[in-house]
Amino acid sequence: MAGSAQKKTDYKDPQYTGLASLVQEALEGYFNAHDGAMPPVGLYDRVLNEIERPLISICLEYTDGNCLRAAELLGISRNTLSKKIKQLGLK
């Protein structure tokens, strides 16, 4: 978004209610968009993929691509991280 001010989240702001509330709000919007019909099956995996992808990408970015350090930061093994990178199609 070049030229436009991006809103930054202030995690120290007492109004910040956490990631869970943001996810809940997004999911409620997703369900509401289906006008009472059930969303397509496989929601669990889709949601996990949408959260894992940026989580892993950001950890890799902040560790300069060092998989061992990123895995430690995430609290998972390097093998698990490598598997996730392949599953999610990350580089």
Side-chain angles (χ1 to χ4, degrees):
M1 287 187 187
S4 67
Q6 291 184 347
K7 182 180 176 184
K8 298 283 184 181
T9 302
D10 182 0
Y11 298 104
K12 294 182 181 181
D13 183 340
Q15 298 295 321
Y16 177 68
T17 56
L19 181 60
S21 66
L22 296 174
V23 171
Q24 182 171 345
E25 182 180 324
L27 288 172
E28 286 172 356
Y30 180 75
F31 274 84
N32 290 337
H34 287 84
D35 297 321
M38 292 293 283
V41 297
L43 180 61
Y44 183 82
D45 285 335
R46 284 195 310 275
V47 169
L48 288 184
N49 284 338
E50 285 196 37
I51 291 177
E52 279 182 323
R53 183 179 309 280
L55 175 63
I56 291 172
S57 292
I58 289 170
C59 288
L60 286 168
E61 180 181 328
Y62 277 87
T63 59
D64 293 322
N66 185 311
C67 287
L68 182 57
R69 287 180 47 218
E72 288 174 356
L73 179 60
L74 290 163
I76 60 177
S77 72
R78 190 178 63 78
N79 288 340
T80 298
L81 177 59
S82 295
K83 199 180 308 180
K84 289 291 182 183
I85 289 170
K86 285 182 184 176
Q87 286 174 345
L88 297 169
L90 298 173
K91 294 182 178 187

